[in-house]
Amino acid sequence: MAEDYPLTELASLPSFYHPAASPSGDEIAVYYDGSGRNELYLVNPETGEKTQLSDGNVPRDARYPFRWAPSGNELYFHQDRDGNEQNDIMAIGRDGVVEPVVDNEGQTILSDVSEDGRYLLLVSDVGQQMNLYEHDRELDTTTRLTEYRQPVRGGVYAPGADRVAYTTNESEDLDNQDVYVAEISRHDDGEEHVELTDVRNLEIGEAGAEAGVSDVGPEGDRLLVSDNSSDKPRVGVYDLTIDAVTWFTDPDHVESPTTFLPDGEGVLATRTRKCAVVPVVHELTGESDELDLPEGVASFPGYGDAALLSGTEVLATQQTPTDRSTLLRVDLESGASHTVLKPEYGSLNPEGFVDCSYETFESHDGLEIEALVYDSGHRPSPVVVKVHGGPAGQDLKQFDLYTQLLATRGYSVLQVNYRGSSGRGRDFKNMINGDWGGAEQGDIAAGTRWLAEKEWVDADRIAVMGGSYGGYSTNMQLVTYPELYAAGISQVGITDLKALYEESMPHFKTVLERYLGDPEENAALYEERSAVTHVENLAAPLCIIHGVNDPRCPISQARLLRDALLDAGYEEGEDGDFEYNELGAEGHGSTDIDNKIRSFELVADFLERRMPVGKSDGASD
């Protein structure tokens, strides 16, 4: 099987990222790596013809999206340094020339651009905590607009850029998030001054719930908002003229908002159920329709008007576990869809990719847990338990390159949406709060035991792997449930929670406090839920892979685990108890093809040596 899917070719399959319609709707910008390197392209929405705009002067890693300037003559993008995510904001013109716009020493994310193109709305941690800033392109000045103790999670301008809406939390309840609106006062008394006035909390939903805002209506009098007061995240429109919200989401659905349609009389959203995602159009009259697309993960571009080609035509991406992402034009009136960019497979046969089944199992305390199972067909089958990050992420029915790397080599794959994951509502997601590293790790172990009982599974050859929080879970599974696993691969994983807190950016400190409480008051919990505390329990070979420029899980996390293992008498090396790999010029994972190849080689080589697939007993491979 593996010979049919060469590692290098699989990792090098061209991909597009962050499609965004131009303001006029006659072009689409995408990141695309068909040259072997990520570049910015302009795409004809009718023909799919691509024209390269950049030439090695945009990021190699397509982690952060770009935005069109309202004029359509340039685009703004995030430029970091080898994956460190300390972004500067750059502009690239139609001539391919790049110029710096916002240059600082912190993490900066472009949140919106004013209609006249003069102002950029940013969230940045240059003042320590993540707060709201405005950059004036005409004066080349950047002004801090908010000073909250807890992070600001994005913001959007009203038409005219005289009002802004954003989300943050001023309460002591770290589960809480509120939507605020404020007027923007700009005046010049010999020196330019910008400040927010008439700031008010809209108090959407109940205390302790998470409210959010994603768009402002074309007249500036309505906000597209979300909230999970009723447990399942819902989509609504807040009318600022009467201070009331109308909800459009059925109580049984889980939805997330995207943007207003150009006429303001409808909104785009996505709906999640049973690990699948479908785009939805809500008319403000109350009618709702799902787009008719194959089951998998279909969604709109993730911000503002990036999805809008015209008043009736939108962009959507669609993929399944065996079909890579397709970019579509969808006519909202007829429901017809047309392919703009089709997936590329090179010489690989896409019919050989492995599909998944949606499953549920009962966890250690009786809670029902969702899972996806990819059966490689090998018998008896070795298994890799592949744990998602977050922890509030979610495994979905979408094409996953790592999963196909494993499955096409004979390893079946289990993905567990443990408690703390998104997709099932507020109560389920918040079950991890105060218990990080506890019951949700039990969910992963319960899923492993559940699959190990299948007659077609080789229960003696089960590995666990993941990145970020998935890397943390890998480490914890190996030292908490060592009897379950024959090997583990931890990528950019957390190992020492107290040390992580001390090194984290302020907005990540807030996340850790939400999950684990104050690090001084709960020092014992931080220690107990850290893999470095329990290294003496490691009983299976562990492969550690970490980027040296990672700002989320610093390289020190990997080094602390390595040193703890050495101090405990474990041997490092290919024939030892653990293997250690530091990746230069890389941060918290990467979409870059060269970086993917390097990581794929480390994973595949480790598994082939430590937990080989072996010979089949005669069942189909």
Side-chain angles (χ1 to χ4, degrees):
M1 296 175 69
E3 61 270 16
D4 298 328
Y5 292 87
L7 180 152
T8 298
E9 187 170 357
L10 188 63
S12 302
L13 291 176
S15 301
F16 66 86
Y17 304 91
H18 309 302
S22 66
S24 62
D26 58 0
E27 290 176 299
I28 302 165
V30 297
Y31 277 144
Y32 173 72
D33 56 15
S35 67
R37 186 202 190 280
N38 183 54
E39 299 286 1
L40 189 59
Y41 286 76
L42 300 180
V43 181
N44 184 313
E46 299 291 334
T47 66
E49 181 182 358
K50 296 185 290 289
T51 302
Q52 185 172 335
L53 184 61
S54 66
D55 185 16
N57 47 8
V58 296
R60 296 188 67 90
D61 181 7
R63 178 184 298 274
Y64 287 92
F66 49 81
R67 283 180 178 264
W68 283 93
S71 66
N73 292 325
E74 61 182 356
L75 297 105
Y76 298 105
F77 65 91
H78 300 80
Q79 181 70 278
D80 71 356
R81 298 167 185 82
D82 295 326
N84 71 357
E85 297 185 52
Q86 304 308 288
N87 304 317
D88 295 328
I89 307 300
M90 317 291 283
I92 183 170
R94 288 185 171 273
D95 57 3
V97 175
V98 170
E99 63 171 317
V101 178
V102 180
D103 184 358
N104 59 48
E105 296 301 318
Q107 186 178 61
T108 300
I109 301 171
L110 178 59
S111 190
D112 203 2
V113 183
S114 65
E115 284 186 335
D116 64 1
R118 176 172 175 175
Y119 303 110
L120 307 184
L121 192 63
L122 317 164
V123 288
S124 179
D125 65 0
V126 292
Q128 291 303 304
Q129 185 55 277
M130 194 70 87
N131 267 284
L132 204 61
Y133 291 76
E134 180 176 84
H135 180 80
D136 186 327
R137 288 215 65 184
E138 186 175 301
L139 299 177
D140 193 25
T141 57
T142 302
T143 304
R144 181 171 176 168
L145 300 179
T146 65
E147 294 189 33
Y148 291 105
R149 184 174 59 86
Q150 294 185 35
V152 173
R153 307 283 185 186
V156 287
Y157 281 125
D162 57 354
R163 179 187 286 173
V164 65
Y166 58 92
T167 58
T168 191
N169 178 27
E170 292 185 282
S171 80
E172 295 302 314
D173 185 345
L174 296 181
D175 293 337
N176 186 73
Q177 184 171 279
D178 291 310
V179 174
Y180 291 74
V181 294
E183 303 298 318
I184 302 179
S185 173
R186 304 183 184 90
H187 53 274
D188 187 350
D189 54 1
E191 184 176 345
E192 185 76 13
H193 292 284
V194 184
E195 60 182 345
L196 297 188
T197 60
D198 298 325
V199 178
R200 63 189 181 104
N201 182 347
L202 298 184
E203 298 183 351
I204 297 172
E206 64 185 32
E210 295 171 284
V213 57
S214 61
D215 197 15
V216 181
E219 302 302 320
D221 58 351
R222 291 180 292 192
L223 305 177
L224 179 57
V225 297
S226 59
D227 167 65
N228 60 8
S229 292
S230 58
D231 184 42
K232 301 290 191 297
R234 56 186 177 175
V235 171
V237 171
Y238 190 99
D239 190 329
L240 292 166
T241 64
I242 59 174
D243 283 328
V245 61
T246 301
W247 298 108
F248 298 99
T249 301
D250 184 285
D252 292 331
H253 289 152
V254 171
E255 292 189 350
S256 178
T258 303
T259 189
F260 278 99
L261 290 172
D263 63 5
E265 296 306 311
V267 300
L268 304 180
T270 53
R271 179 178 295 164
T272 302
R273 58 170 174 262
K274 293 186 176 181
C275 301
V277 179
V278 59
V280 178
V281 181
H282 291 298
E283 300 293 339
L284 300 198
T285 58
E287 296 182 9
S288 299
D289 292 299
E290 295 184 357
L291 297 192
D292 185 17
L293 296 172
E295 184 183 56
V297 173
S299 60
F300 302 111
Y303 69 86
D305 54 6
L308 306 178
L309 286 167
S310 70
T312 59
E313 196 171 45
V314 298
L315 288 176
T317 59
Q318 190 272 330
Q319 58 184 302
T320 73
T322 56
D323 299 306
R324 304 183 72 228
S325 189
T326 299
L327 181 62
L328 302 168
R329 291 184 292 114
V330 181
D331 188 311
L332 298 180
E333 293 182 338
S334 68
S337 61
H338 306 276
T339 298
V340 179
L341 294 177
K342 61 183 180 181
E344 298 180 50
Y345 296 100
S347 66
L348 305 183
N349 181 5
E351 294 182 1
F353 289 128
V354 178
D355 204 352
C356 71
S357 61
Y358 170 84
E359 308 285 349
T360 62
F361 63 87
E362 188 175 288
S363 192
H364 52 89
D365 57 358
L367 184 67
E368 182 181 82
I369 300 296
E370 296 181 329
L372 297 175
V373 176
Y374 293 77
D375 180 357
S376 70
H378 194 91
R379 297 293 184 265
S381 183
V383 171
V384 176
V385 180
K386 185 173 175 292
V387 188
H388 71 70
Q394 182 186 14
D395 284 312
L396 296 166
K397 292 181 178 179
Q398 62 189 355
F399 190 88
D400 184 289
L401 204 55
Y402 256 115
T403 297
Q404 295 301 336
L405 170 74
L406 299 168
T408 55
R409 279 160 172 71
Y411 297 96
S412 294
V413 178
L414 170 65
Q415 297 176 337
V416 178
N417 283 322
Y418 49 82
R419 70 193 72 195
S421 303
S422 300
R424 288 179 59 182
R426 168 187 171 194
D427 291 343
F428 186 83
K429 184 169 73 70
N430 287 353
M431 283 181 176
I432 194 175
N433 295 357
D435 189 40
W436 167 305
E440 92 285 357
Q441 293 301 314
D443 294 338
I444 299 166
T448 302
R449 293 190 181 99
W450 166 79
L451 191 64
E453 292 174 357
K454 306 295 182 185
E455 55 85 20
W456 53 271
V457 168
D458 187 340
D460 294 325
R461 288 189 297 158
I462 299 180
V464 58
M465 71 173 285
S468 190
Y469 189 87
Y472 166 81
S473 295
T474 295
N475 297 327
M476 289 299 289
Q477 289 292 301
L478 291 178
V479 300
T480 309
Y481 307 97
E483 72 280 3
L484 295 180
Y485 302 104
I489 303 170
S490 175
Q491 296 175 284
V492 293
I494 300 163
T495 67
D496 186 322
L497 289 166
K498 182 66 182 300
L500 178 68
Y501 183 90
E502 292 172 352
E503 286 194 68
S504 284
M505 294 179 280
H507 48 296
F508 286 153
K509 281 183 166 68
T510 302
V511 173
L512 289 170
E513 289 170 4
R514 177 179 183 179
Y515 288 127
L516 290 156
D518 182 270
E520 298 301 326
E521 295 177 3
N522 292 351
L525 181 63
Y526 275 71
E527 182 178 7
E528 177 198 346
R529 301 296 168 83
S530 296
V532 293
T533 306
H534 311 286
V535 291
E536 71 279 359
N537 295 334
L538 183 70
L542 169 64
C543 178
I544 301 169
I545 304 171
H546 215 109
V548 298
N549 295 324
D550 191 337
R552 303 179 183 219
C553 302
I555 186 62
S556 57
Q557 289 288 302
R559 294 169 179 171
L560 285 167
L561 181 58
R562 175 198 61 191
D563 294 347
L565 288 167
L566 292 172
D567 290 345
Y570 291 95
E571 294 186 2
E572 179 185 350
E574 287 192 1
D575 297 322
D577 304 296
F578 73 97
E579 300 176 28
Y580 184 82
N581 305 275
E582 290 190 4
L583 306 183
E586 186 171 331
H588 198 65
S590 177
T591 66
D592 179 69
I593 287 176
D594 289 342
N595 288 344
K596 284 192 291 187
I597 292 172
R598 180 172 53 179
S599 294
F600 276 23
E601 288 174 341
L602 289 171
V603 168
D605 177 67
F606 176 81
L607 287 173
E608 287 170 6
R609 289 185 289 103
R610 301 291 195 156
M611 201 182 78
V613 171
K615 295 182 179 180
S616 174
D617 66 0
S620 172
D621 283 358

